[in-house]
Amino acid sequence: MINGARAKESSLSADDSEQQYRNYLKEVMRYAGTISLQKESQVIPVDEMRIGDFICNDTHVVMIIDEAVNEKGEKSYLIGQSFIPAACFHVVNNVDGENITPWFTQEELKKDSFNVGGFPFSRDKDIRRWKDGF
């Protein structure tokens, strides 16, 4: 019982289809806030960042959606965001350098603090990955 109501057990079988994954992501985006994302994730070093990780402070979250590595091994990332409701996910432009570009370099994200889409983030507490088993 949950708050006096009986929970109903689902008779559906496991479904690992792409459509079910998309349905799951829609539910996460509908109900998850920045505080719940922080509780379900752990801070990681910038050097370990990969596609699917996210940058989350108390008011906003952005997601790493692509990575590029040049011949010198230097990494750059495409970062995406949306607003409430999470209806229009889009690539964020990096407007802090000389040129406007959709790429954020690893060196930029290694700074103590940095901005993405006009939101301030901290290197030491905001770069995150889902906890194991989530």
Side-chain angles (χ1 to χ4, degrees):
M1 293 195 115
I2 301 171
N3 294 331
R6 285 200 183 274
K8 190 168 122 179
E9 186 176 327
S10 175
S11 61
L12 299 175
S13 59
D15 181 353
D16 63 357
S17 67
E18 180 177 347
Q19 183 59 50
Q20 187 59 26
Y21 178 65
R22 289 180 181 275
N23 292 343
Y24 163 76
L25 288 177
K26 285 178 186 176
E27 287 299 306
V28 168
M29 288 185 177
R30 183 177 295 136
Y31 295 107
T34 57
I35 303 303
S36 66
L37 289 174
Q38 289 171 346
K39 289 179 182 177
E40 295 292 335
S41 64
Q42 59 193 12
V43 174
I44 60 165
V46 177
D47 292 336
E48 293 181 17
M49 203 163 53
R50 62 183 186 223
I51 297 169
D53 291 336
F54 52 96
I55 305 169
C56 180
N57 63 22
D58 289 342
T59 61
H60 196 63
V61 62
V62 296
M63 180 182 242
I64 306 302
I65 58 176
D66 203 359
E67 176 185 284
V69 183
N70 69 14
E71 61 281 346
K72 297 177 188 174
E74 299 166 329
K75 295 182 180 182
S76 291
Y77 301 93
L78 281 181
I79 298 177
Q81 72 175 3
S82 186
F83 296 101
I84 297 172
C88 185
F89 193 81
H90 59 276
V91 173
V92 179
N93 278 325
N94 182 350
V95 297
D96 288 338
E98 282 184 27
N99 301 313
I100 295 175
T101 174
W103 295 99
F104 291 79
T105 67
Q106 189 176 56
E107 291 306 312
E108 290 172 305
L109 301 177
K110 283 184 175 183
K111 294 178 183 176
D112 289 341
S113 62
F114 55 91
N115 288 310
V116 177
F119 292 89
F121 294 100
S122 166
R123 176 198 63 211
D124 295 332
K125 65 177 188 164
D126 294 339
I127 298 174
R128 300 178 159 273
R129 178 173 296 147
W130 295 110
K131 289 181 180 174
D132 289 337
F134 182 74

